[in-house]
Amino acid sequence: MHIAPEDLRRCWFLAGPTASGKSDVALILAEQLGAEIIALDSMTLYRGMDIGTAKPTAAERARVPHHLFDVLDPDEEYSVAEYVTACAAIVPEVLSRDRMPLFVGGTGLYLRSLLRGVFEGPPADWELRRQLTEEMERRGVAVLHERLQAIDPVTAARLSPNDVRRVIRALEVHAVTGRPLSDQQTQPPLPCGLRPPHVYWLEPPRAWLHERIRRRVERMFAAGLTDEVRRLLDGPRPLSHTARQAIGYKEVIDWLEAGSGDPAEVAALIQTRTRQFAKRQHTWFRNLEECTSIAIAGTESPEEIAAVIIEGAREQD
């Protein structure tokens, strides 16, 4: 299932790397456009994963209706196709209320799938996945990523070695089809006249973003990230592989399960991996020709950035 083309053209999108200030700008945009926010994020879907995902607060959600937050238990997996199907149901509902769907987040694969459609790929080969998972547990995640680098360097460059679920899926697709995943995930963009005109991403200076990431991780620990992870681990069912691999959660889980280590080193590792993730996000959005870059200096207020976007949209229209 996909969003009907005529509905897709009425949607707005605000993407960008983590910690770039998307959520604050989105609230202003939503209030000025009469919009409802739809999460464009693979981790804010999970209940109980609040601090580590920088999820909108209850007060922020009270200002503007939000969708696709807290819809999964932490033991559940969720595919890109399921996400797009959920969006295809939500968008007409929002439009029926004479409101604007505003997608906000940093998951590039979700954005591309909404704009270009989903590559379904072959059905899951559960036996192969089991074998690859066992090998990963025996030999480490780097082994699988190195194998992917040899057969599909384009996908390997896009995926972190810690994104085990997607690394395994890419190896599975190659094993089943004999072709690299990157050769098959080549859905072209829609023609200019059919694609949504309002797809924006915030492009901040690297040094400014790195400092924002440093402070954000510090705030997460001060707000109780460690206790949040403990509660998740003490839940009635084991965390899904996706939930366990979320940046911030994986590092704290490893630390707690090891029973030793310096919390400051854990925070520093999260900051490093978040910076690396932000770099990959930057690459995603820069390479999507549907996206319009909104260069920011880091000194603007959310209101000023929203005004730039709205003024640009008026000129475009």
Side-chain angles (χ1 to χ4, degrees):
M1 191 174 183
H2 60 273
I3 301 173
E6 62 274 17
D7 289 347
L8 186 64
R9 279 187 51 78
R10 298 172 65 185
C11 296
W12 283 56
F13 299 82
L14 181 63
T18 187
S20 58
K22 299 182 297 294
S23 297
D24 292 338
V25 175
L27 285 171
I28 306 300
L29 276 179
E31 289 174 334
Q32 295 190 11
L33 295 171
E36 299 184 13
I37 291 173
I38 304 173
L40 190 64
D41 190 293
S42 60
M43 291 302 162
T44 56
L45 294 161
Y46 286 105
R47 302 181 188 95
M49 297 177 65
D50 303 326
I51 298 171
T53 63
K55 197 176 290 180
T57 65
E60 289 168 336
R61 293 196 226 183
R63 284 174 59 182
V64 173
H66 285 63
H67 303 273
L68 289 181
F69 291 86
D70 298 328
V71 297
L72 298 177
D73 288 327
D75 63 297
E76 295 181 89
E77 297 285 3
Y78 201 65
S79 70
V80 177
E82 288 174 303
Y83 171 79
V84 172
T85 297
C87 293
I90 292 169
V91 165
E93 293 178 3
V94 174
L95 292 172
S96 72
R97 293 189 284 271
D98 291 325
R99 307 278 290 178
M100 191 82 70
L102 171 60
F103 288 88
V104 181
T107 301
L109 182 59
Y110 280 9
L111 177 58
R112 188 181 70 179
S113 298
L114 289 170
L115 296 175
R116 302 187 181 184
V118 179
F119 167 68
E120 296 288 353
D125 184 329
W126 296 106
E127 176 59 22
L128 177 58
R129 289 188 184 184
R130 183 190 64 78
Q131 293 173 6
L132 291 170
T133 300
E134 289 179 354
E135 181 178 2
M136 180 269 296
E137 292 170 348
R138 289 195 316 270
R139 304 178 62 193
V141 295
V143 171
L144 297 188
H145 195 265
E146 289 170 4
R147 186 179 306 165
L148 182 62
Q149 174 69 37
I151 62 174
D152 188 354
V154 174
T155 299
R158 179 171 60 80
L159 297 179
S160 164
N162 294 314
D163 194 349
V164 178
R165 182 171 66 90
R166 292 195 175 100
V167 169
I168 287 177
R169 177 56 175 166
L171 291 170
E172 175 190 35
V173 168
H174 184 272
V176 172
T177 68
R179 295 173 56 207
L181 178 63
S182 57
D183 285 354
Q184 302 179 62
Q185 285 185 325
T186 55
Q187 299 94 322
L190 293 171
C192 290
L194 297 179
R195 68 181 64 167
H198 302 302
V199 185
Y200 306 99
W201 71 286
L202 302 185
E203 186 174 9
R206 180 176 299 179
W208 177 85
L209 185 64
H210 287 182
E211 176 61 18
R212 292 259 300 186
I213 288 170
R214 183 190 68 78
R215 294 201 306 266
R216 171 180 278 192
V217 173
E218 290 179 351
R219 288 196 303 271
M220 286 176 174
F221 275 93
L225 176 61
T226 303
D227 289 337
E228 179 173 270
V229 174
R230 285 196 179 100
R231 287 194 296 272
L232 291 166
L233 292 175
D234 290 340
R237 291 180 294 275
L239 295 179
S240 70
H241 190 78
T242 299
R244 285 185 69 95
Q245 293 301 315
I247 296 175
Y249 293 90
K250 172 180 170 48
E251 294 76 15
V252 174
I253 289 170
D254 290 346
W255 170 47
L256 293 176
E257 292 183 342
S260 63
D262 184 351
E265 292 181 0
V266 178
L269 179 60
I270 294 171
Q271 290 163 349
T272 297
R273 289 180 174 169
T274 305
R275 290 195 299 269
Q276 294 167 344
F277 176 55
K279 183 178 179 180
R280 294 194 299 273
Q281 290 175 299
H282 184 281
T283 300
W284 263 104
F285 304 130
R286 184 188 62 209
N287 290 336
L288 278 175
E289 65 180 74
E290 298 94 329
C291 290
T292 298
S293 167
I294 304 296
I296 60 174
T299 57
E300 307 92 337
S301 68
E303 290 81 5
E304 289 171 329
I305 297 172
V308 168
I309 293 172
I310 289 175
E311 180 59 29
R314 287 173 179 159
E315 292 176 0
Q316 184 178 357
D317 293 342

